[in-house]
Amino acid sequence: MASASRDFLAPGELAAICEAARFPADIADALSEAAEAVRGDGELAEAAVRFRRELFEDANRPPDDVNRELLAYGADGALLAAVVYAGAIPLLAERYAARGLPQEVLVDTVHDLVIWMRAHLRRHGRRGLSELGWLHQHLRGELFRLGRLQFHFVASPFPVNAFRHRTTGDVAVLSEGGVRYRSDGQLDGTCGLFDAAGGWESAYAFDGAHYEGHPVSALGSADRKTVRLGADEWELALQKGDPVLNVHVPEGERLSPEACRDSYARAAAFAAAHFPGNPYRAFVCDSWLLAPAFRTLLPESSNIVRFQRDYHLLPVLSNESQALERVFGYGTTLADLPSAKAETSLQRIVRDHLAAGGRIHNAGGFRLA
């Protein structure tokens, strides 16, 4: 990998970075051409160096602010952003070397730039990079691709308390108090639907001997009836704010159960070897792939259903937007469905379900470590 101290805009330098990162020829050529154009414009070159420094070296400004300025800069900020982010790979390589992290993990992780450059081309008809807030985590060394899946350390965002039975290992989940649910057990406002008449607010208490609250089923639905769990039998295993490994599913190859479980095993070994001071209590995920509707819409053999089975599902405030984008393409809305092409079985199932008045929305989920 090229040294971070070298000028990433120097002739041939970005081509060398792309070669080390094993970027495909179309992306490498586009980045090299863009770097040449930036290098030939003194103002753009100065801006590129400044943006890389502010995003990946100094970190004195909020990255979201810098990214917004970068995307709005000049005639094509998205193309400039692609050069800046690819040019930061040597800085990332230095961080990996300092931590003793494997080079292969770096190569696999920065491949997301390829995925999102191609997504930008599909969406806008020109080269560039626009998912900067997401990719900033990759280039700062905070997110890692380990096999099929990506992982990064976060605090658990879900307002639930998960318990593990001290003898059987069974898992039970109680909602935190003060959460408003609809009568169907989803968060009030999911898919824009509110339940003023049948909605209810959760309660939760621990008296030193028993935990009492509203259970959340493995399919991600909260129950209005409360249950009690004895502390002598049930151990609190996960609550909001606990350290967890957040799981993301990058675009690409099939999401087979074998590949996913290989990734979980790799993540566990990677965290133990390289981040022993960062204990985590669970893997968590928030995705359209966890949409509860898929349990009835898709066959048991579906990789989406099999991915879901690795998680205890949880209600999150969401709508159809992510599922529509991932199934039909960027920018698809409910209003577009009547004219949307349904060439795959998943597209046909989703289209027909929504057209009949059904709902599909994201869910959260966890699997205890």
Side-chain angles (χ1 to χ4, degrees), residues 27-49:
I27 298 297
D29 290 347
L31 285 168
S32 296
E33 182 180 335
E36 184 177 347
V38 171
R39 183 172 60 251
D41 183 317
E43 184 177 330
L44 271 182
E46 183 178 335
V49 171

Side-chain angles (χ1 to χ4, degrees), residues 62-109:
D64 287 347
D65 292 350
V66 181
N67 281 328
R68 277 193 293 270
E69 183 183 341
L70 172 54
L71 287 173
Y73 194 92
D76 192 347
L79 191 57
L80 178 63
V83 172
V84 169
Y85 270 66
I89 291 175
L91 297 170
L92 180 64
E94 288 191 350
R95 290 191 175 92
Y96 270 58
R99 294 178 181 174
L101 303 180
Q103 176 82 7
E104 286 298 318
V105 174
L106 183 151
V107 170
D108 289 346
T109 299

Side-chain angles (χ1 to χ4, degrees), residues 153-319:
F153 291 98
V154 300
S156 181
F158 304 123
V160 298
N161 299 285
F163 301 86
R164 183 157 36 200
H165 195 276
R166 298 179 186 275
T167 303
T168 66
D170 290 345
V171 173
V173 178
L174 302 180
S175 172
E176 278 192 350
V179 180
R180 182 159 181 85
Y181 294 96
R182 298 188 311 223
S183 56
D184 65 357
Q186 297 303 311
L187 292 181
D188 206 28
T190 299
C191 290
L193 300 176
F194 295 86
D195 190 355
W200 52 278
E201 187 173 294
S202 63
Y204 175 78
F206 176 55
D207 63 7
H210 296 90
Y211 303 96
E212 184 170 358
H214 301 271
V216 179
S217 75
L219 294 182
S221 176
D223 195 320
R224 191 166 191 158
K225 296 179 180 178
T226 61
V227 299
R228 301 180 80 204
L229 304 176
D232 58 338
E233 294 183 273
W234 294 91
E235 172 190 16
L236 180 61
L238 179 69
Q239 57 188 334
K240 185 177 180 180
D242 281 348
V244 294
L245 274 174
N246 205 5
V247 177
H248 300 275
V249 183
E251 178 183 310
E253 59 268 26
R254 292 175 67 251
L255 191 65
S256 72
E258 296 77 16
C260 291
R261 285 166 191 160
D262 172 69
S263 280
Y264 298 133
R266 289 195 197 190
F270 182 82
H274 302 291
F275 296 91
N278 287 25
Y280 63 96
R281 306 196 106 187
F283 295 100
V284 303
C285 186
D286 181 340
S287 174
W288 71 277
L289 291 166
L290 297 180
F294 286 139
R295 289 293 183 99
T296 54
L297 293 174
L298 301 179
E300 288 291 309
S301 59
S302 160
N303 280 339
I304 291 178
V305 172
R306 294 196 287 181
F307 178 75
Q308 289 192 7
R309 286 202 208 104
D310 284 336
Y311 291 87
H312 187 116
L313 302 188
L314 302 169
V316 298
L317 193 61
S318 182
N319 56 31

Side-chain angles (χ1 to χ4, degrees), residues 96-132:
Y96 270 58
R99 294 178 181 174
L101 303 180
Q103 176 82 7
E104 286 298 318
V105 174
L106 183 151
V107 170
D108 289 346
T109 299
V110 299
H111 184 76
D112 239 21
L113 271 72
V114 174
I115 291 174
W116 287 108
M117 281 190 69
R118 287 178 172 162
H120 185 90
L121 179 62
R122 290 195 304 270
R123 294 174 178 182
H124 305 288
R126 61 183 186 277
R127 295 288 187 184
L129 193 65
S130 44
E131 292 288 336
L132 306 189

